[in-house]
Amino acid sequence: MLNSEQTQAVEHSRGPVLVVSGPGSGKTRVITERIANLINSRNVPPWKILAITFTNKAAKEMKERVDILLGSPGQAVMGGTFHATCARILRQAGSAVGVPNDFVIYDTDDSESVVKSVMKELSTPEQFTPRQIRNRISSFKTSGHLTESVSSISGNSFLDEISSKVLREYDRRLRQSGAVDFDDLLNKTHLLLTEYRSDAATFLNRFEHVLVDEFQDTNRVQYEIAKSLAGKSRNFFIVGDEDQSIYSWRAADVQNFQRFKDDFPEADVIYLGQNYRSTGNIIRAAETIINKSSGRSEKALWTENTDGDAVRIMVTGNSEEEAWFVANQIEDKLSEALSESNTYGILYRTNAQSRAFEEALIGLGIPYRLVGGTRFYERKEIKDLIAYLRLVHNEHDSVAFQRVVNIPPRGIGARTLATVLGYAHEHAISAVAALAKLAITDGTEIIGSRAKKAAAQFTSDYDDITQASENRSVADTLDQIIHRTGFKDYIFKLDKEQPARADSRWENVEELLNVAAQYQESDDEASLATFLEQVALVSDVDQPDGTSAQVQVTLTTLHSAKGLEFSTVFLVGMEEGLLPHQRSFDTQEMLEEERRLCYVGMTRAKNQLFMTRSINRYLYGRSTSTISSRYLDELTQPEIERAHYGDIDPDAQRNRTNSYSYRRNSFGLKDARIETDETNTQPPFSPGDKVRHGRFGLGTVISIKQDGKDWEIQVAFESQGVRRLYQSFAQLVAA
C-alpha cells in the first residue's frame, strides 16, 4: 500500500514534478507504479513513455517490476540507462551528426588504447600517462568542450595543451573506426537533439512522459538531453535527493536541481520522507549529520520503525584492531540463530582500507564479497573474445584488431603490428584488409616471411569466422572463434603453472557462451550488433550481483555502497583525513559532498550501525596519531553508545605484525568498556600544563574535554606538532 506522498507522486496528472526521495523511501516502487498508472488509468500509450535510470541493474529491476504490474504492454515502454537511451537514438538518427548506424562503442580500456597509440605517434612527453590524457579528454567532453572548441581550452595548462592535441587525432581515429566512446554517446545525442532538431523530430515529438531516476547523479549534458526529450510535453518527472549527491568526480552536478526549477518554474515538488529501511536511532543519527549541510532545502527523514539498537561508536588502538573488532562482531552475529538472512556491510572511504578487514575475515574463515574486484567483462579472456566479436562485426575496429591479432600468439609482434597499421593508414584501408593484402602480395619484403605466414593464418581464420557468422547466432559465432583460434588451449597454456586459475578462466569463457545463448533466447531481434552494444553499456556504477547466495559480508567503498542496504553496517575509518577525506579540505563544496557521503553510508543500515575509528593508523609507512572525524563529534545524543576496545593479548602487543595473534574476543562489544554515567569528572590536566608522551616527547596541553569515561587532550609537542590524543591510550604524564 502506498503512503499519501507516494500516492500523490504516482497519480500526479500533468506537468513537471520533482520527487525528492529520501533514502529507503520506496522511490523505485513509485516510478514503476506511476508508469502503470499512466498506462492503465490515463490511457497513455506505453511507447510514448521514456524511463531513464542510472545503472543497468536499476533498469533491469524497473523492467521486471513494470512487467509484473502490466504484463506485455509494459514491454513497449522505452527504458534504460542514459547511455543505452542515447545509443538507441543514435542508431536511428545519428547520421545527422556523423555517427554511422552500425557504430561500435569503445569502453574505457579501448579509449585508453587509442590514446596510447596517438601519444606514441605524437611523441607526447612521458610525464603524462595514457590514463591521465584519457581522463582529461573525458573531462573536456563531459564539460561540453568538443574538438571544434578545443583551442579555447588548450592554454589552461600544459596537460590541457597536450590533451587537446591528442583529442584531435583521437576523435579522427574513432570516426575512422566507426566508433564512439561513452562521452560521445551523450555529446552526439545532445548535439542531435539541440542543433539538428528536424533530424531528431521522431524522438523530440514522441514522448508524452519522461521519467528520470537518481537525478542527483546526472551531469549537465544528461540533464539537457532529458530536458530536450521532455520539452514538448513538459511532463518531466524526476526523482532524486540532493542529500545523496556523491559523484561530482564523475561529473554529477547537484546544480541540476536548481536548473530544473529554473527551466520548469511551474513544477510541483513532492517529498518522500518516510524511511522504510532503518530504525529510528539510525535515522536520527543520520539526520544529525546531514542537517549541518549548508544550502540544502529544508526537509526531514522519518520512520515508523522501532528505535532499535543504539548507534555505537567504537574507538580502537590501530587499524588492525579496528578490523579485528569488526570481524569478531560479524562472527558472533553469524553464529546466532536465524542469522542466515542477515547481511553485513563494511564501508570505507578508500579502497586501500580494505586490506586489514580482508585479512581479519580470512583469519576467521568468514567468506566475503569485495565490491570493486575485477568484474566479469573486464577479465582478460572475456575482453579478448569480445574483441574478436567486435572485429567480426566491424573490420574497421582498429582497437579490437590490435588486441586479438596476436592472441593466441601467432608470430605477429609489436613491430609487425606497427607496420600493418602504418600500411593501413597509408592506403586508407582497414587493418584487417592491410594484413590480408600483405599476406598474399608483397608481404615478405615488408613484414618478413614468418610474419607473412602468421598473417595468412589470421586472415584465413577471420574470413571463415566472418562468413559463418552471417547465418549463425552470437553463441555459435563465439564457439567458432574459440574453435578456430585454439582459444581453449591458449587459456590453459597461459596459466599452465596455475591450473586452478586456468580452470577459472575457462569457466569464465563458458559463462560468456551461456550469456550469449541466453541473450539469443530472450530477444527475438537479437544480433551481434545489439549483443555487443549491451556488453559495452555495462555501466561503471553498476553493482555486482555477488558470487554466492551464502556470502553475507560485503566490503565496499562508500561510493560503491550507493543503492545497497545491509542488516548491519560498519562505517569504518571515521577520522579526519579519511572521512572527510583530506582531498576535500580544499573547498567547501568538496567538504559538503563528504558530509553527504557519510549520510549515504549511515543510511545503508537497516538494524544496526557501528561507526569505528583508530587512535593510530599507518600512513606513509609510519604510525601516526589520528583525529576523530568531525561527524563523530557531532553525534552528541544520549542514546549514542561509545566504547573502547577490551584488553589486548600481551603477545600481540609485542608482535603487531602478526594480526592473527589477537585474542578471539578482544574487540567484542561485550568485552568493551561501554560508557556510563559513572565518570571521573576531574580532568587529569589543564590547558597550559607541560606533559610528556612516550614517543612524542615534551608538549603543552592546548585543550582538554571529556569523551565518555575518557579524556580527549590536544597537545602541542615540541617535535611532532599538534596532536589530539585519548588519555587512556596516550598515557600522558606531567613533565
Side-chain angles (χ1 to χ4, degrees):
M1 183 175 178
L2 300 172
N3 64 36
S4 58
E5 291 79 14
Q6 290 173 330
T7 301
Q8 183 184 357
V10 167
E11 297 180 353
H12 186 272
S13 57
R14 300 190 64 82
V17 58
L18 164 60
V19 179
V20 182
S21 55
S25 60
K27 67 179 179 61
T28 303
R29 184 183 179 193
V30 166
I31 294 172
T32 54
E33 291 279 359
R34 176 166 176 77
I35 292 173
N37 180 269
L38 290 173
I39 295 171
N40 290 336
S41 301
R42 302 189 181 279
N43 298 316
V44 178
W47 58 88
K48 291 191 175 184
I49 298 173
L50 171 63
I52 306 177
T53 61
F54 212 78
T55 69
N56 289 302
K57 179 184 176 183
K60 180 181 178 182
E61 180 182 357
M62 182 181 296
K63 182 180 185 304
E64 290 173 347
R65 291 196 185 192
V66 170
D67 286 347
I68 291 172
L69 289 172
L70 295 172
S72 57
Q75 297 176 6
V77 174
M78 183 170 168
T81 65
F82 270 100
H83 287 112
T85 301
C86 290
R88 187 167 178 177
I89 292 172
L90 292 176
R91 290 281 178 211
Q92 297 185 43
S95 59
V97 289
V99 178
N101 59 14
D102 63 344
F103 65 85
V104 295
I105 301 171
Y106 279 6
D107 64 15
T108 303
D109 286 348
D110 298 327
S111 299
E112 194 171 314
S113 178
V114 177
V115 168
K116 184 177 181 180
S117 176
V118 172
M119 290 174 67
K120 184 175 181 180
E121 179 180 306
L122 298 180
S123 301
T124 58
E126 295 183 359
Q127 69 192 82
F128 300 124
T129 66
R131 177 165 296 183
Q132 283 179 293
I133 300 294
R134 167 68 185 89
N135 289 342
R136 199 71 193 104
I137 287 174
S138 181
S139 296
F140 290 165
K141 291 186 173 186
T142 302
S143 61
H145 291 300
L146 303 180
T147 305
E148 292 77 12
S149 61
V150 80
S151 59
S152 66
I153 55 173
S154 61
N156 291 351
S157 69
F158 187 44
L159 175 59
D160 285 351
E161 182 180 345
I162 296 300
S163 299
S164 66
K165 292 177 181 178
V166 173
L167 172 57
R168 293 188 183 92
E169 177 62 17
Y170 169 82
D171 274 348
R172 189 195 68 77
R173 293 194 183 187
L174 260 61
R175 288 195 301 271
Q176 186 180 50
S177 296
V180 295
D181 61 22
F182 288 135
D183 297 315
D184 290 333
L185 283 174
L186 300 177
N187 285 329
K188 295 292 186 181
T189 302
H190 179 243
L191 182 65
L192 175 69
L193 296 176
T194 56
E195 301 296 328
Y196 296 83
R197 296 182 62 84
S198 60
D199 297 282
T202 299
F203 291 98
L204 290 172
N205 298 326
R206 171 176 171 176
F207 301 110
E208 290 185 16
H209 291 268
V210 175
L211 301 85
V212 178
D213 190 14
E214 301 287 8
F215 186 71
Q216 74 280 347
D217 296 337
T218 58
N219 62 35
R220 177 71 181 271
V221 174
Q222 289 167 333
Y223 168 68
E224 295 292 342
I225 288 170
K227 183 183 77 170
S228 296
L229 293 170
K232 183 177 180 180
S233 69
R234 296 187 75 79
N235 294 323
F236 196 11
F237 186 91
I238 66 171
V239 181
D241 181 10
E242 60 188 349
D243 290 342
Q244 298 184 71
S245 179
I246 60 174
Y247 296 123
S248 65
W249 50 279
R250 286 179 180 162
D253 191 349
V254 71
Q255 293 304 314
N256 281 343
F257 284 95
Q258 187 59 49
R259 293 187 182 101
F260 174 82
K261 294 175 183 177
D262 293 341
D263 293 334
F264 298 89
E266 75 275 27
D268 291 329
V269 178
I270 302 170
Y271 181 61
L272 304 183
Q274 183 174 1
N275 179 285
Y276 293 91
R277 175 188 299 151
S278 306
T279 64
N281 280 328
I282 293 172
I283 292 299
R284 284 191 291 274
E287 280 282 277
T288 298
I289 300 302
I290 200 61
N291 281 340
K292 293 184 180 294
S293 180
S294 63
R296 70 187 285 263
S297 55
E298 189 172 337
K299 50 186 178 287
L301 192 67
W302 60 279
T303 185
E304 292 181 349
N305 296 337
T306 63
D307 284 349
D309 291 345
V311 173
R312 294 169 174 173
I313 296 175
M314 173 60 68
V315 181
T316 66
N318 57 48
S319 59
E320 308 296 326
E321 295 168 6
E322 179 185 41
W324 277 88
F325 162 71
V326 171
N328 284 330
Q329 283 291 306
I330 292 174
E331 185 180 47
D332 286 344
K333 294 178 184 300
L334 289 173
S335 67
E336 295 173 358
L338 305 176
S339 66
E340 293 83 0
S341 61
N342 292 333
T343 55
Y344 307 91
I346 303 174
L347 279 51
Y348 38 80
R349 179 62 178 82
T350 67
N351 275 308
Q353 291 172 259
S354 73
R355 192 268 316 160
F357 297 96
E358 290 188 69
E359 289 187 3
L361 292 170
I362 291 170
L364 295 179
I366 300 174
Y368 63 89
R369 180 184 300 112
L370 179 66
V371 175
T374 303
R375 292 174 295 168
F376 182 77
Y377 289 108
E378 293 179 347
R379 295 167 190 170
K380 180 188 183 306
E381 58 276 12
I382 301 304
K383 289 186 75 71
D384 289 344
L385 289 172
I386 294 297
Y388 265 114
L389 288 173
R390 281 172 37 188
L391 196 61
V392 169
H393 171 61
N394 175 15
E395 72 171 83
H396 292 277
D397 190 338
S398 62
V399 170
F401 173 84
Q402 292 176 65
R403 184 176 186 100
V404 303
V405 70
N406 201 42
I407 290 179
R410 50 175 63 91
I412 300 176
R415 183 176 299 178
T416 300
L417 177 59
T419 301
V420 172
L421 294 175
Y423 189 94
H425 181 70
E426 181 182 350
H427 293 81
I429 57 178
S430 71
V432 171
L435 191 67
K437 189 173 182 181
L438 291 171
I440 61 176
T441 56
D442 51 354
T444 302
E445 184 176 320
I446 298 176
I447 61 175
S449 58
R450 182 171 179 270
K452 181 179 179 181
K453 182 179 179 180
Q457 183 62 55
F458 179 88
T459 301
S460 174
D461 290 343
Y462 177 80
D463 288 344
D464 289 347
I465 294 168
T466 303
Q467 290 173 17
S469 71
E470 295 176 0
N471 300 311
R472 295 194 178 193
S473 67
V474 177
D476 288 340
T477 301
L478 189 58
D479 189 68
Q480 179 79 351
I481 291 169
I482 293 168
H483 175 72
R484 285 300 301 257
T485 62
F487 198 81
K488 184 174 184 179
D489 290 340
Y490 162 67
I491 288 292
F492 284 91
K493 288 178 182 177
L494 190 66
D495 291 305
K496 61 182 178 181
E497 304 299 329
Q498 297 176 285
R501 186 173 180 182
D503 287 339
S504 178
R505 287 188 188 275
W506 182 245
E507 288 171 1
N508 290 334
V509 172
E510 291 180 322
E511 181 60 19
L512 182 62
L513 283 164
N514 293 338
V515 170
Q518 291 169 4
Y519 173 73
Q520 201 76 30
E521 293 174 2
S522 64
D523 192 341
D524 294 334
E525 298 180 2
S527 67
L528 179 55
T530 54
F531 176 78
L532 290 171
E533 180 175 305
Q534 291 213 7
V535 168
L537 288 172
V538 174
S539 173
D540 285 345
V541 296
D542 278 354
Q543 307 298 338
D545 292 328
T547 56
S548 169
Q550 284 71 47
V551 176
Q552 296 172 254
V553 182
T554 298
L555 279 73
T556 177
T557 64
L558 282 161
H559 284 103
S560 295
K562 182 76 179 306
L564 303 179
E565 63 180 25
F566 307 95
S567 305
T568 300
V569 163
F570 297 90
L571 189 49
V572 301
M574 296 296 298
E575 300 142 27
E576 292 289 300
L578 278 179
L579 189 64
H581 196 276
Q582 60 184 3
R583 287 195 300 267
S584 70
F585 294 167
D586 294 338
T587 68
Q588 185 62 34
E589 290 79 9
M590 293 173 69
L591 274 173
E592 291 294 339
E593 183 158 322
E594 292 291 300
R595 181 175 293 278
R596 296 195 293 267
L597 192 59
C598 181
Y599 174 72
V600 166
M602 296 173 73
T603 54
R604 300 310 93 195
K606 296 165 66 177
N607 303 322
Q608 286 187 305
L609 173 62
F610 292 83
M611 304 175 78
T612 69
R613 61 157 299 212
S614 300
I615 296 295
N616 297 288
R617 189 175 295 275
Y618 268 88
L619 297 172
Y620 312 111
R622 57 180 293 181
S623 180
T624 305
S625 295
T626 67
I627 297 176
S628 175
S629 170
R630 64 193 70 188
Y631 309 134
L632 294 186
D633 296 344
E634 291 167 3
L635 295 173
T636 58
Q637 300 96 315
E639 63 266 25
I640 302 290
E641 288 187 356
R642 297 175 182 266
H644 295 153
Y645 70 91
D647 294 332
I648 298 177
D649 186 85
D651 292 336
Q653 283 278 53
R654 290 190 291 268
N655 184 17
R656 288 292 177 91
T657 59
N658 181 4
S659 60
Y660 301 117
S661 64
Y662 288 110
R663 200 167 58 234
R664 162 65 186 83
N665 288 320
S666 290
F667 310 112
L669 261 181
K670 57 182 175 291
D671 296 327
R673 302 196 303 274
I674 302 294
E675 307 302 350
T676 68
D677 292 334
E678 299 174 9
T679 304
N680 180 9
T681 58
Q682 184 63 37
F685 306 105
S686 301
D689 286 353
K690 297 293 184 182
V691 294
R692 183 182 297 277
H693 184 272
R695 184 155 58 90
F696 299 149
L698 289 172
T700 303
V701 174
I702 298 175
S703 64
I704 183 168
K705 67 177 182 179
Q706 199 161 8
D707 185 353
K709 289 177 64 178
D710 210 344
W711 293 93
E712 183 183 295
I713 308 173
Q714 195 170 20
V715 182
F717 290 100
E718 295 178 358
S719 61
Q720 298 290 328
V722 177
R723 304 276 182 172
R724 189 184 296 181
L725 309 168
Y726 277 91
Q727 176 61 3
S728 63
F729 298 104
Q731 296 298 304
L732 296 170
V733 296

